[in-house]
Amino acid sequence: MTVKKRFIAGAVCPRCSTMDTLKAWEQNGIRYRECVDCDFFEQLPLEQQNVEELETRVNKPAAEPENDIQTVKILDPGSITRH
């Protein structure tokens, strides 16, 4: 049985920092990744599904607007003197 190895679009190799060179596949309950440009190779167990999502501007809650009340003074245009 042959395993299909698929390239990961847009992925950057953690070792050589080259984009679009990582290929991934699963076999016997283990996920594998390797780079075709350098000797990077990694294996991860498939049970690791609870990886915490990184906080970004899209997924973090919006900041509550501050309710600072400020008094506004309205000036009478007739009381302004010009120099």
Side-chain angles (χ1 to χ4, degrees):
M1 178 173 130
T2 60
V3 177
K4 278 194 171 186
K5 298 180 181 182
R6 301 177 186 262
F7 280 95
I8 307 169
V12 176
C13 175
R15 181 166 294 144
C16 68
S17 300
T18 307
M19 185 183 289
D20 293 334
T21 59
L22 285 180
K23 58 183 177 177
W25 69 96
E26 295 176 7
Q27 188 174 16
N28 299 326
I30 299 175
R31 179 177 296 141
Y32 297 96
R33 293 190 313 168
E34 76 176 337
C35 179
V36 296
D37 279 358
C38 70
D39 61 345
F40 172 76
F41 180 80
E42 181 179 47
Q43 58 185 20
L44 302 165
L46 287 178
E47 300 87 44
Q48 194 178 23
Q49 297 297 328
N50 58 353
V51 177
E52 195 171 309
E53 183 178 7
L54 295 175
E55 184 175 301
T56 64
R57 66 177 175 82
V58 176
N59 65 1
K60 74 178 175 181
E64 293 291 323
E66 294 182 21
N67 291 331
D68 290 339
I69 299 174
Q70 297 178 351
T71 305
V72 177
K73 184 177 180 182
I74 300 175
L75 301 175
D76 181 14
S79 66
I80 299 175
T81 58
R82 296 186 183 184
H83 295 276

